Amino acid sequence: MSDKKKSLTVFKSDRHEDVAAILASALIVVVVLTYMAFIVPSVGIKASQDGKLVEIFVTEGADVKKGDKLYALEVVKKKWVNNVMEEKIAVESFTAKANGKVLKVSGKPGDSLKKGKQTIVVLEHEKGTLP
């Protein structure tokens, strides 16, 4: 029995198999992005890092545009300087990544937040945009 007959693939060559894998991956990416852009109705925005919520710039029912400030978070920034870890407290503002409407504001100034745990703002993003 030749090696070709032992092959489990349905493709004629490895090159065909690679092209099929690339096309399948691209199809999956297109389906996921389309699902996120047109079917997911709202997005809960959570803290991207541990910190304390300082200020919320939006209210429920407000329309936001891409780049509008949503909230400010006090975070600890760590940096190595001369083999010594320096910690500095900084306030960072986070902005909307797409146009939309604020459905709910669940965070309050003074809340301590853990990365990815509590939802701060729920946004209904504009159809056709990626949240």
Side-chain angles (χ1 to χ4, degrees), residues 77-88:
K77 292 196 167 219
K78 297 178 181 177
K79 184 177 175 183
W80 283 99
V81 177
N82 297 330
N83 290 333
V84 177
M85 175 69 77
E86 287 186 358
E87 292 185 356
K88 187 170 104 182

Side-chain angles (χ1 to χ4, degrees), residues 21-31:
I22 291 169
L23 291 175
S25 299
L27 180 65
I28 290 170
V29 168
V30 168
V31 168

Side-chain angles (χ1 to χ4, degrees), residues 27-40 128-130:
L27 180 65
I28 290 170
V29 168
V30 168
V31 168
V32 169
L33 291 177
T34 302
Y35 173 76
M36 290 176 66
F38 294 102
I39 297 174
V40 173
T129 60
L130 292 174

Side-chain angles (χ1 to χ4, degrees), residues 57-127:
F57 301 107
V58 293
T59 57
E60 289 184 14
D63 290 326
V64 293
K65 293 185 179 182
K66 183 178 179 179
D68 287 352
K69 288 182 180 179
L70 295 176
Y71 62 93
L73 196 64
E74 183 181 276
V75 297
V76 176
K77 292 196 167 219
K78 297 178 181 177
K79 184 177 175 183
W80 283 99
V81 177
N82 297 330
N83 290 333
V84 177
M85 175 69 77
E86 287 186 358
E87 292 185 356
K88 187 170 104 182
I89 295 175
V91 175
E92 292 187 354
S93 295
F94 293 87
T95 59
K97 304 294 182 204
N99 298 339
K101 183 177 184 177
V102 178
L103 297 178
K104 183 178 179 185
V105 177
S106 53
K108 292 178 237 153
D111 286 353
S112 292
L113 303 172
K114 292 284 183 189
K115 179 182 177 183
K117 297 289 181 188
Q118 297 100 341
T119 301
I120 302 168
V121 176
V122 177
L123 279 178
E124 177 185 57
H125 68 94
E126 188 176 276
K127 296 289 180 204

